[in-house]
Amino acid sequence: MHEQTDAYEEKRLEILKSCRLLDSIPDYAFDRIVLTLKEVCQVPIALFGLMDQHREWFKAKIGCDLTEAPRETSYCNVALKRQQILIIPDTLQDPVFKDQPRYLKEQLVRFYAGVPLITPDGYGLGVLCIIDFIPRELTPGQLLTMTELARQVVIEIQKRRVIESISRQTQERISHQRKDRFFLKLGIGFGLVIVLRFISVLPSLWTNSRFQTLSQWVIHTQEVLTKINELKLSLQGAQLAVRNYTILNNRATNLSYYSAHLKNIYRHLDQLDALTQDNPNQRPDVKQLRLLLIHDNEILNQLIHGIDRQDFNTVQKIYSSQEALSVVSDLLQTLERIEGRELVLLDQRQQAFRTSEKLNPVIIWTNFSITLLILIVILVWIYHEIRLRYHGESQANRQEEFLEVTLASIGDAVMMTDANETITLMNPVAEVLTDWPHQEAVGQKFSTVLNLINTETQAFYPSPVVAAISSQVNQFLHDGVSLVRRNGETIDVDDSCAPIIGANGLVAGCVMVFRDISEQRRQEEQMTQTLQREQEINSLKNSFISMVSHEFRTPLTSIFSSTELLASFDGQAHPERQDKHLQRIYTSIRRLEQMLDDVLLIGRVESGKLQFQPELMNLELVIEDIVEAIQSGIGRHHQIKANFDNVVEPVFMDAKLIKFIFTNLLSNAVKYSLPMHPVELSVGIVNTGIEIQVIDHGIGIPAEDLPKLFRTFQRASNVGNIHGTGLGLSIVKTCVDLHGGSIEVESVLDQGTRFKVWLPNHSTTLPKVGSPELINTAN
């Protein structure tokens, strides 16, 4: 016995937690094992418990709703400490436990059996146990099954332990690889320096760009001021030309001057308008200036027109009118306002230009200093990464070696994939099971190497890796899944597939653990068949007891009552009544005899002692004897019509089995029909065999009873009080099968039933009667 030291217990709990089974959701694989254990051992409660530090937590349970129990008061704790199977046939009689009663569901536990679950490295994690509330013993077969199921539990635990270990190591390796991407980090570092250097140039470029922009703005403002001055000069020239045109004699020359100045005025005005498009403050005055110039031009034109007509009064009025004076005044004021704003704007832009000129060297030196500081930091970081690289490589190599040793040492096949379902790793067991060498399998898609199919339908089975990656939940294969190896061989497999979640919460791949369970599945099928057989036997026993208690009691009661009545008669009185009671006794005895014969025949069938012994026989004579016997018995009030169609030659069949077949079919036809409805029997040759049909017009058989009609002790649901054992049709089916024939039934409720029996006739392969071959064979 392993000494439970503190170091051992600490390591045991560490392994238990690494399996990640405590306080987890129900698991189909463990539930199936516990259910199988309960059915095999025929106990009310079966449990699979994991032993934590202070409690026993039940991962799988059947028959109770407990989630956990105290560890110290548990029988399982004793089994775990002993590290060997613990069986207590009767807790009240056991010398160790009789003074320590345990209760479950407020009932006293009288029987306990538990197998400790010990890992290959010697650590006990839990117990697989069964409990009953009555004393009992385990059969050798049950004990062997329990031990095997405990081994299966350990295998399932190891699978999950390996999956968690590989998943954890893979996450650490992925995380380390991300941290250890030295050259990537080095490239990023230098790239960052280049980017920062480029960024540092941007302020200088921005300063130069702003410097040029401010310079252009100053030039633009100066151009506006120039256009304003030119507009003033052109306006003054136009007014002077009109005045000279009025006073001087050289009117043609002055008029041409006026026209030239007028064109210049509008040209300068258009240029001024274009130059002030980006200045909303100037726009209203520029528009007002255009209107005033138009008005002033109209006044000047009136003066010229008045002079040309020699209308000096009109000229005098225009010169002295308030309107002419105000237009000229408004023109000058508007131009002065425009010019004043431009002068202020010019001063502001010149000031900004001088400030930008001073700021540019400061920005350049500041950016250079920041870039130098960042470069120093990056170089220090790169130096630190170089120091860590050596330690990281050493640790990664150790983890890689440990992973390879772990995968090579476990008994199950292990495969790993990336997030794209591409195989990245497989252990030697996986190579053997899939028939794919490691070097060829790595890089292939999962479904290419692990070709899974449904065992029953041979259809493609969906990839568990796809399901695990999409759902991020562990996947388990259902029953009936096979692996098609590379060489075409098919084996049964059982597996689990777990996603590998990276540090970023995304699926980085999957790890799949699987094994060959062909032998285990054969054992499970045998176990299932054994259980079904035992259940059928128990059902047959119950049906037999029910049949005996019912069917035997009726004739026995009739015999007993008739015997009592006969005993009360004297020898001479009532002879007809005596005959009636004697006949009743005879009929009841025959009925009992028939039931016993049927039961014994079923017994011979079950034990395999009923054999097919064919011989040459006259089928017509045999069936006529059967018909005659039934007509003289239960069918004495019925009419049986027999029709033989060209069946004259002897047939090669078992006469004994023929009697069983048609005695039961005709008896049932008579029993379930009224006397006024005849029973029809026809015999004919069909496909080198003999077809016999038995037709009645009785109560019929319900459609739901037809599929189970030939089972032992099975009777239709509408038979009512008509006596019967439920053995007849089972005997008929057995006898037909022994002949290698077939039987069909057609029935309509309340209209009748047709049984069609076809039996092969091998007499065509035998010598003719009287031939030398037959005589020599007989001799």
CSV table of all heavy atoms in Angstrom, one decimal, residues 90 106 140 154 227 251-252 309 339 342 389 400 431 446 460 481 510 557 564 596 656 663 674 682 714 742 753 760:
chain,number,residue,atom,x,y,z
A,90,ASP,N,-21.9,-7.3,3.4
A,90,ASP,CA,-23.0,-6.9,4.4
A,90,ASP,C,-22.3,-6.0,5.4
A,90,ASP,O,-21.5,-6.5,6.2
A,90,ASP,CB,-23.6,-8.1,5.0
A,90,ASP,CG,-24.8,-7.7,5.9
A,90,ASP,OD1,-25.0,-6.5,6.1
A,90,ASP,OD2,-25.5,-8.6,6.4
A,106,GLU,N,-31.3,8.4,3.1
A,106,GLU,CA,-31.9,8.0,4.3
A,106,GLU,C,-32.2,6.5,4.4
A,106,GLU,O,-33.0,6.0,5.2
A,106,GLU,CB,-33.3,8.7,4.5
A,106,GLU,CG,-33.1,10.2,4.5
A,106,GLU,CD,-34.5,10.9,4.7
A,106,GLU,OE1,-35.5,10.2,4.7
A,106,GLU,OE2,-34.5,12.2,4.8
A,140,PRO,N,-18.3,-13.9,-10.3
A,140,PRO,CA,-17.0,-13.6,-10.9
A,140,PRO,C,-17.1,-12.8,-12.1
A,140,PRO,O,-16.2,-12.0,-12.4
A,140,PRO,CB,-16.5,-15.1,-11.2
A,140,PRO,CG,-17.2,-15.9,-10.1
A,140,PRO,CD,-18.5,-15.3,-10.0
A,154,VAL,N,-10.2,4.9,-16.0
A,154,VAL,CA,-8.8,5.4,-15.9
A,154,VAL,C,-8.3,5.8,-17.3
A,154,VAL,O,-7.6,6.9,-17.4
A,154,VAL,CB,-7.9,4.3,-15.3
A,154,VAL,CG1,-6.4,4.8,-15.4
A,154,VAL,CG2,-8.3,4.0,-13.9
A,227,LYS,N,-4.2,96.5,-56.6
A,227,LYS,CA,-5.4,96.6,-57.4
A,227,LYS,C,-6.3,97.7,-56.9
A,227,LYS,O,-6.9,98.5,-57.7
A,227,LYS,CB,-6.2,95.3,-57.4
A,227,LYS,CG,-5.4,94.2,-58.1
A,227,LYS,CD,-5.1,94.5,-59.6
A,227,LYS,CE,-4.3,93.5,-60.2
A,227,LYS,NZ,-3.8,93.9,-61.6
A,251,ARG,N,-12.0,117.7,-77.2
A,251,ARG,CA,-12.9,116.8,-76.5
A,251,ARG,C,-12.7,115.4,-77.0
A,251,ARG,O,-12.9,114.4,-76.2
A,251,ARG,CB,-14.4,117.2,-76.9
A,251,ARG,CG,-14.7,118.6,-76.3
A,251,ARG,CD,-16.1,119.0,-76.6
A,251,ARG,NE,-16.5,120.3,-76.0
A,251,ARG,CZ,-17.6,120.9,-76.1
A,251,ARG,NH1,-18.5,120.4,-76.9
A,251,ARG,NH2,-17.9,122.0,-75.5
A,252,ALA,N,-12.3,115.2,-78.2
A,252,ALA,CA,-12.2,113.8,-78.7
A,252,ALA,C,-11.1,113.1,-78.0
A,252,ALA,O,-11.2,111.9,-77.6
A,252,ALA,CB,-11.8,113.8,-80.2
A,309,ARG,N,-24.8,118.0,-76.2
A,309,ARG,CA,-26.1,118.7,-76.6
A,309,ARG,C,-26.0,120.2,-76.3
A,309,ARG,O,-26.9,121.0,-76.5
A,309,ARG,CB,-27.3,118.1,-75.9
A,309,ARG,CG,-27.6,116.7,-76.4
A,309,ARG,CD,-28.9,116.2,-75.8
A,309,ARG,NE,-28.8,116.3,-74.3
A,309,ARG,CZ,-29.8,116.2,-73.5
A,309,ARG,NH1,-31.1,116.1,-74.0
A,309,ARG,NH2,-29.6,116.3,-72.2
A,339,GLU,N,-9.3,98.9,-48.4
A,339,GLU,CA,-7.9,99.0,-48.3
A,339,GLU,C,-7.4,98.9,-46.8
A,339,GLU,O,-6.4,98.3,-46.5
A,339,GLU,CB,-7.4,100.4,-48.9
A,339,GLU,CG,-5.9,100.6,-48.9
A,339,GLU,CD,-5.5,101.9,-49.5
A,339,GLU,OE1,-6.4,102.8,-49.5
A,339,GLU,OE2,-4.3,102.1,-49.9
A,342,GLU,N,-7.4,95.3,-45.8
A,342,GLU,CA,-6.2,94.6,-46.4
A,342,GLU,C,-4.9,95.0,-45.7
A,342,GLU,O,-4.0,94.1,-45.5
A,342,GLU,CB,-6.1,94.9,-47.9
A,342,GLU,CG,-7.3,94.3,-48.7
A,342,GLU,CD,-7.3,92.8,-48.6
A,342,GLU,OE1,-6.2,92.2,-48.6
A,342,GLU,OE2,-8.3,92.1,-48.7
A,389,ARG,N,16.4,35.7,-25.5
A,389,ARG,CA,16.3,34.7,-26.6
A,389,ARG,C,16.9,33.4,-26.2
A,389,ARG,O,16.4,32.3,-26.4
A,389,ARG,CB,16.9,35.3,-27.9
A,389,ARG,CG,16.8,34.3,-29.0
A,389,ARG,CD,17.3,34.9,-30.3
A,389,ARG,NE,17.3,33.9,-31.4
A,389,ARG,CZ,16.2,33.5,-32.1
A,389,ARG,NH1,15.0,34.0,-31.7
A,389,ARG,NH2,16.3,32.6,-33.0
A,400,GLU,N,9.6,20.9,-25.8
A,400,GLU,CA,9.5,20.0,-27.0
A,400,GLU,C,9.9,18.6,-26.7
A,400,GLU,O,9.2,17.7,-27.1
A,400,GLU,CB,10.3,20.6,-28.1
A,400,GLU,CG,10.0,20.1,-29.5
A,400,GLU,CD,8.7,20.6,-30.0
A,400,GLU,OE1,8.3,21.7,-29.6
A,400,GLU,OE2,8.0,19.9,-30.8
A,431,GLU,N,0.3,6.8,-35.8
A,431,GLU,CA,0.9,6.3,-37.1
A,431,GLU,C,0.4,4.9,-37.3
A,431,GLU,O,0.0,4.5,-38.4
A,431,GLU,CB,2.4,6.4,-37.0
A,431,GLU,CG,3.0,7.8,-37.0
A,431,GLU,CD,4.5,7.8,-37.0
A,431,GLU,OE1,5.0,7.3,-38.1
A,431,GLU,OE2,5.1,8.2,-36.1
A,446,PHE,N,-6.9,17.1,-41.7
A,446,PHE,CA,-7.3,16.1,-40.7
A,446,PHE,C,-8.2,15.0,-41.4
A,446,PHE,O,-8.0,13.8,-41.1
A,446,PHE,CB,-8.1,16.8,-39.6
A,446,PHE,CG,-8.7,15.8,-38.6
A,446,PHE,CD1,-7.9,15.3,-37.6
A,446,PHE,CD2,-10.0,15.4,-38.7
A,446,PHE,CE1,-8.5,14.4,-36.6
A,446,PHE,CE2,-10.6,14.6,-37.8
A,446,PHE,CZ,-9.8,14.1,-36.8
A,460,PHE,N,-20.1,9.1,-44.4
A,460,PHE,CA,-19.0,9.9,-43.8
A,460,PHE,C,-19.5,10.5,-42.5
A,460,PHE,O,-20.6,11.0,-42.3
A,460,PHE,CB,-18.7,11.0,-44.8
A,460,PHE,CG,-17.8,12.1,-44.3
A,460,PHE,CD1,-16.4,11.8,-44.1
A,460,PHE,CD2,-18.2,13.3,-43.9
A,460,PHE,CE1,-15.5,12.7,-43.6
A,460,PHE,CE2,-17.4,14.3,-43.3
A,460,PHE,CZ,-16.0,14.0,-43.2
A,481,VAL,N,-18.8,4.5,-34.5
A,481,VAL,CA,-17.9,5.2,-35.5
A,481,VAL,C,-16.7,4.4,-35.7
A,481,VAL,O,-16.1,3.8,-34.8
A,481,VAL,CB,-17.5,6.6,-34.9
A,481,VAL,CG1,-16.6,7.3,-35.8
A,481,VAL,CG2,-18.8,7.4,-34.6
A,510,CYS,N,-6.4,22.1,-32.5
A,510,CYS,CA,-7.1,21.0,-31.8
A,510,CYS,C,-6.1,19.9,-31.5
A,510,CYS,O,-5.2,19.7,-32.2
A,510,CYS,CB,-8.3,20.5,-32.6
A,510,CYS,SG,-9.8,21.5,-32.5
A,557,THR,N,-59.1,-27.1,-12.4
A,557,THR,CA,-60.4,-26.8,-11.7
A,557,THR,C,-61.5,-27.6,-12.3
A,557,THR,O,-62.4,-28.2,-11.6
A,557,THR,CB,-60.7,-25.3,-11.8
A,557,THR,OG1,-59.6,-24.5,-11.3
A,557,THR,CG2,-62.0,-25.0,-11.1
A,564,GLU,N,-65.3,-34.5,-8.2
A,564,GLU,CA,-66.1,-34.4,-7.0
A,564,GLU,C,-67.6,-34.8,-7.3
A,564,GLU,O,-68.2,-35.5,-6.6
A,564,GLU,CB,-66.1,-32.9,-6.5
A,564,GLU,CG,-64.8,-32.6,-5.7
A,564,GLU,CD,-64.9,-31.2,-5.1
A,564,GLU,OE1,-65.7,-30.4,-5.6
A,564,GLU,OE2,-64.2,-31.0,-4.0
A,596,LEU,N,-48.3,-29.1,-21.8
A,596,LEU,CA,-47.0,-29.7,-21.4
A,596,LEU,C,-46.1,-30.0,-22.6
A,596,LEU,O,-44.9,-29.8,-22.6
A,596,LEU,CB,-47.2,-30.9,-20.5
A,596,LEU,CG,-47.8,-30.6,-19.1
A,596,LEU,CD1,-48.1,-31.9,-18.4
A,596,LEU,CD2,-46.8,-29.8,-18.3
A,656,LYS,N,-42.6,-35.0,-38.4
A,656,LYS,CA,-42.8,-34.6,-37.0
A,656,LYS,C,-43.0,-33.0,-37.0
A,656,LYS,O,-44.0,-32.5,-36.3
A,656,LYS,CB,-41.6,-35.0,-36.1
A,656,LYS,CG,-41.7,-34.5,-34.7
A,656,LYS,CD,-40.5,-35.0,-33.9
A,656,LYS,CE,-39.3,-34.2,-34.2
A,656,LYS,NZ,-38.5,-34.5,-35.4
A,663,THR,N,-50.9,-28.6,-37.1
A,663,THR,CA,-51.7,-28.8,-35.9
A,663,THR,C,-52.0,-27.5,-35.2
A,663,THR,O,-53.2,-27.2,-34.9
A,663,THR,CB,-51.1,-29.8,-34.9
A,663,THR,OG1,-51.0,-31.1,-35.6
A,663,THR,CG2,-52.0,-30.0,-33.7
A,674,LEU,N,-66.1,-18.9,-35.8
A,674,LEU,CA,-67.4,-19.4,-35.4
A,674,LEU,C,-67.7,-20.7,-36.2
A,674,LEU,O,-67.2,-20.9,-37.3
A,674,LEU,CB,-68.4,-18.3,-35.7
A,674,LEU,CG,-68.4,-17.1,-34.8
A,674,LEU,CD1,-69.4,-16.1,-35.3
A,674,LEU,CD2,-68.5,-17.4,-33.4
A,682,SER,N,-55.3,-25.2,-48.3
A,682,SER,CA,-54.9,-25.5,-49.7
A,682,SER,C,-53.4,-25.8,-49.7
A,682,SER,O,-52.6,-25.2,-49.0
A,682,SER,CB,-55.2,-24.3,-50.6
A,682,SER,OG,-54.5,-23.2,-50.3
A,714,GLN,N,-46.7,-15.0,-26.7
A,714,GLN,CA,-47.3,-13.8,-27.3
A,714,GLN,C,-48.7,-14.1,-27.8
A,714,GLN,O,-48.8,-15.1,-28.6
A,714,GLN,CB,-46.5,-13.2,-28.4
A,714,GLN,CG,-47.0,-11.9,-29.0
A,714,GLN,CD,-47.0,-10.8,-28.0
A,714,GLN,OE1,-46.0,-10.6,-27.3
A,714,GLN,NE2,-48.1,-10.0,-27.9
A,742,SER,N,-40.5,-20.3,-45.2
A,742,SER,CA,-41.0,-19.0,-44.8
A,742,SER,C,-42.4,-19.1,-44.4
A,742,SER,O,-43.2,-19.9,-44.9
A,742,SER,CB,-40.7,-18.0,-45.9
A,742,SER,OG,-41.5,-18.3,-47.1
A,753,THR,N,-58.1,-14.4,-41.1
A,753,THR,CA,-56.6,-14.4,-41.2
A,753,THR,C,-56.2,-15.5,-42.2
A,753,THR,O,-56.8,-16.5,-42.3
A,753,THR,CB,-56.0,-14.8,-39.8
A,753,THR,OG1,-56.5,-13.8,-38.8
A,753,THR,CG2,-54.5,-14.7,-39.8
A,760,PRO,N,-39.4,-25.7,-48.6
A,760,PRO,CA,-38.7,-26.3,-49.8
A,760,PRO,C,-38.8,-27.8,-49.9
A,760,PRO,O,-38.8,-28.5,-48.8
A,760,PRO,CB,-37.2,-25.8,-49.5
A,760,PRO,CG,-37.2,-25.7,-48.0
A,760,PRO,CD,-38.5,-25.2,-47.6
